[in-house]
Amino acid sequence: MTEYTDLLERVVAPDGTGRTVSDPATGEAIGAVLEQDVEALDAAVARAKAAQRSWAALGHAKRSELLNAVADRIEAESEPLAELLSREQGKPLNGPNARFEVGACSAWLRAAADTVLEAETLVDDGQTRAVLSYKAAGVVGAIGPWNWPLMIGMWQMAPSLRMGNTVVIKPSSNTPLSVLALVSIMNEVLPADVLVPVTGNRTVGARLAAHPDVAKVMFTGSTAAGREIIKGSAANLARLTLELGGNDAGIVLPGTDAKAIAQDLFWGAFINTGQTCAALKRLYVHDSVYEQVIDALKEVTATMPMGNGLDEANVLGPIQNKSQFDIVVGLVEDAKSRGGRVITGGSPASELGALFYPVTIVADLKDGDPLVDEEQFGPALPIIRYTELDDAIASANGLDVGLGASVWSSDPAVAREVAARLEAGTVWINQHGTLHPMAPFGGVKASGYGLEFGVEGLKSVAVPQVING
């Protein structure tokens, strides 16, 4: 098996060149990454475009065979990939973190490779026969985030490649090395130029979204950045899948067993130390179980160690970058100034390192408080008391985002009734943020549009064609 250092050596810039990438847990330099420019991006798209027809011509069966072979290679290199990811992103090896993320890469890749998308006969009445099928779009531009760089990158790459597209992938500037390493492993199996990585700043990402030879753009990131992607892609009418910001609400109904849901509530909110688009970010709890839920969450939090991700004992890590750290600090300080009751945490864990912030639960907040209304994207959870269910539902629906939501109840039937009233792309019951490669995932309102995963995900990276006759 490749060692971590061998894997890193494949993708770092030569000594004395590139931009330094640091470990958020320690501040130590990991290596440097090349900062490519728009000309390099144009060359990458040209290579991918030239390779696309022959890749599509291989057919679904051969592409699926190759993608399963790629999954084998990822599994063989899973440990050094997880170590590099932990060092670069900060997430621990254990828990639902680095090893989990690498495992998800191969799982989602196999699911995309093996999912069948059959042609559909729409009309066959003896006079007219219309058949709907899906063909490759062309070159897909994939622009990824820093929170789950490998897994979300695979969500973009796997279905695109499966459908016969070629892919130009630009990782986040915060976490480029782990994505480059993943791509290098994949390219041991894939034909040349089917998958081309490009690094660089936002100018490079903007050019990828606006490139006239890019037929489809997949982007995961902030709503503000998503709007710029839409503007940039307008000239060439590229198809878009946008998974944008969220501020997922959870509603705990009266009569719910607080201890029974506490562990799942915790991970719904604090997976990846809260740095997850579809994490639980504001929790509305009925007055009758309010203090019980707070106490149960406090008990669970006390059992979750935080620290350097390479320490096998830890399951929570640092905030990945200083700008996000500052956002979390600012929102918590504001909540405290408004009378928020700090249940756990509440100030930086500077004894662990510069970017560590402990799990922070702040009770007695209300709609309109910034920690409630603004996406914190970190380990801080506001808890809001309610007495009338209609008010809680109105609050959950009151923001211009709708990625996910959840309902927590000892009565699943009642929970499903409430779930149907929530404005979100996915609503979970007695869980939050759990995903399945065959269950479509996407947002509504300012959380974006387009679906990923399963059959619908394959359709989203293809173009429909109807043959009449």
Side-chain angles (χ1 to χ4, degrees):
M1 183 181 72
T2 306
E3 296 295 326
Y4 155 77
T5 51
D6 297 329
L7 192 58
L8 182 61
E9 188 64 27
R10 295 186 191 182
V11 297
V12 293
D15 290 343
T17 65
R19 177 180 56 82
T20 299
V21 178
S22 299
D23 183 335
T26 65
E28 298 174 353
I30 301 169
V33 62
L34 285 175
E35 286 285 79
Q36 294 177 288
D37 56 19
V38 168
E39 289 184 358
L41 182 277
D42 288 344
V45 173
R47 288 165 54 196
K49 182 180 180 181
Q52 192 271 322
R53 287 185 183 275
S54 59
W55 173 245
L58 287 179
H60 290 302
K62 183 60 178 177
R63 289 195 301 272
S64 295
E65 177 187 330
L66 287 169
L67 293 177
N68 274 301
V70 170
D72 291 341
R73 287 293 304 127
I74 293 170
E75 288 168 357
E77 305 291 358
S78 60
E79 192 61 20
L81 262 178
E83 183 176 346
L84 177 54
L85 175 62
S86 180
R87 289 173 184 265
E88 184 178 48
Q89 202 282 333
K91 63 185 64 183
L93 291 169
N94 284 327
N97 291 298
R99 289 182 178 125
F100 167 86
E101 181 170 352
V102 174
C105 287
S106 56
W108 252 262
L109 182 54
R110 291 192 193 280
D114 296 338
T115 297
V116 176
L117 176 55
E118 299 281 7
E120 180 183 355
T121 300
L122 305 174
V123 181
D124 192 1
D125 59 7
Q127 296 181 348
T128 300
R129 187 172 189 270
V131 178
L132 170 65
S133 61
Y134 291 85
K135 304 172 67 174
V139 177
V140 173
I143 305 172
W146 50 260
N147 59 329
W148 294 91
L150 301 188
M151 185 172 71
I152 293 178
M154 188 58 76
W155 292 353
Q156 298 169 335
M157 292 184 288
S160 299
L161 294 170
R162 160 70 174 78
M163 291 305 296
N165 305 291
T166 52
V167 178
V168 176
I169 183 165
K170 182 200 170 296
S172 166
S173 296
N174 288 321
T175 52
L177 296 176
S178 54
V179 176
L180 292 176
L182 174 64
V183 169
S184 75
I185 291 169
M186 296 175 71
N187 279 337
E188 293 175 10
V189 178
L190 295 172
D193 297 334
V194 164
L195 175 60
V196 185
V198 174
T199 56
N201 58 24
R202 290 184 178 180
T203 301
V204 174
R207 172 61 176 168
L208 180 56
H211 200 288
D213 289 329
V214 170
K216 169 81 183 187
V217 177
M218 303 185 76
F219 172 76
T220 296
S222 71
T223 298
R227 290 193 170 103
E228 293 303 311
I229 296 286
I230 294 169
K231 293 177 185 177
S233 66
N236 62 319
L237 296 178
R239 295 164 184 267
L240 301 176
T241 295
L242 303 174
E243 197 253 90
L244 307 178
N247 195 346
D248 289 14
I251 300 176
V252 180
L253 301 183
T256 304
D257 184 340
K259 287 184 181 269
I261 65 172
Q263 188 92 6
D264 289 328
L265 270 177
F266 177 89
W267 285 119
F270 299 114
I271 186 172
N272 197 26
T273 316
Q275 300 164 107
T276 297
C277 299
L280 173 60
K281 293 177 177 139
R282 49 195 173 112
L283 183 62
Y284 296 88
V285 183
H286 190 265
D287 179 69
S288 63
V289 291
Y290 187 75
E291 295 298 338
Q292 296 97 303
V293 168
I294 289 171
D295 289 344
L297 274 173
K298 183 178 180 180
E299 288 181 14
V300 171
T301 299
T303 68
M304 301 293 179
M306 172 179 282
N308 191 311
L310 299 180
D311 184 334
E312 297 279 354
N314 293 325
V315 294
L316 298 165
I319 295 175
Q320 201 281 326
N321 56 79
K322 181 64 162 57
S323 60
Q324 194 61 43
F325 179 87
D326 290 343
I327 289 171
V328 174
V329 170
L331 287 172
V332 173
E333 290 302 312
D334 177 86
K336 289 157 63 175
S337 74
R338 294 169 185 270
R341 175 167 45 119
V342 176
I343 306 301
T344 64
S347 58
S350 53
E351 71 279 6
L352 296 176
L355 296 180
F356 282 92
Y357 201 91
V359 168
T360 296
I361 298 170
V362 185
D364 303 343
L365 293 177
K366 63 184 183 303
D367 291 350
D369 291 340
L371 184 57
V372 177
D373 285 10
E374 299 175 19
E375 183 181 23
Q376 66 278 59
F377 214 73
L381 178 67
I383 301 183
I384 307 98
R385 186 194 305 262
Y386 78 90
T387 54
E388 298 296 329
L389 178 58
D390 286 348
D391 292 338
I393 292 171
S395 292
N397 292 338
L399 300 181
D400 190 29
V401 286
L403 190 55
S406 56
V407 183
W408 305 78
S409 174
S410 299
D411 187 335
V414 172
R416 284 191 288 270
E417 291 176 3
V418 175
R421 298 174 62 187
L422 297 178
E423 298 169 0
T426 300
V427 183
W428 293 276
I429 294 174
N430 292 334
Q431 55 185 314
H432 196 110
T434 55
L435 300 174
H436 190 283
M438 295 308 296
F441 176 69
V444 299
K445 300 195 283 190
S447 290
Y449 49 79
L451 291 173
E452 300 176 272
F453 313 160
V455 172
E456 296 303 319
L458 296 183
K459 291 178 180 179
S460 77
V461 291
V463 291
Q465 181 181 58
V466 175
I467 297 178
N468 281 287

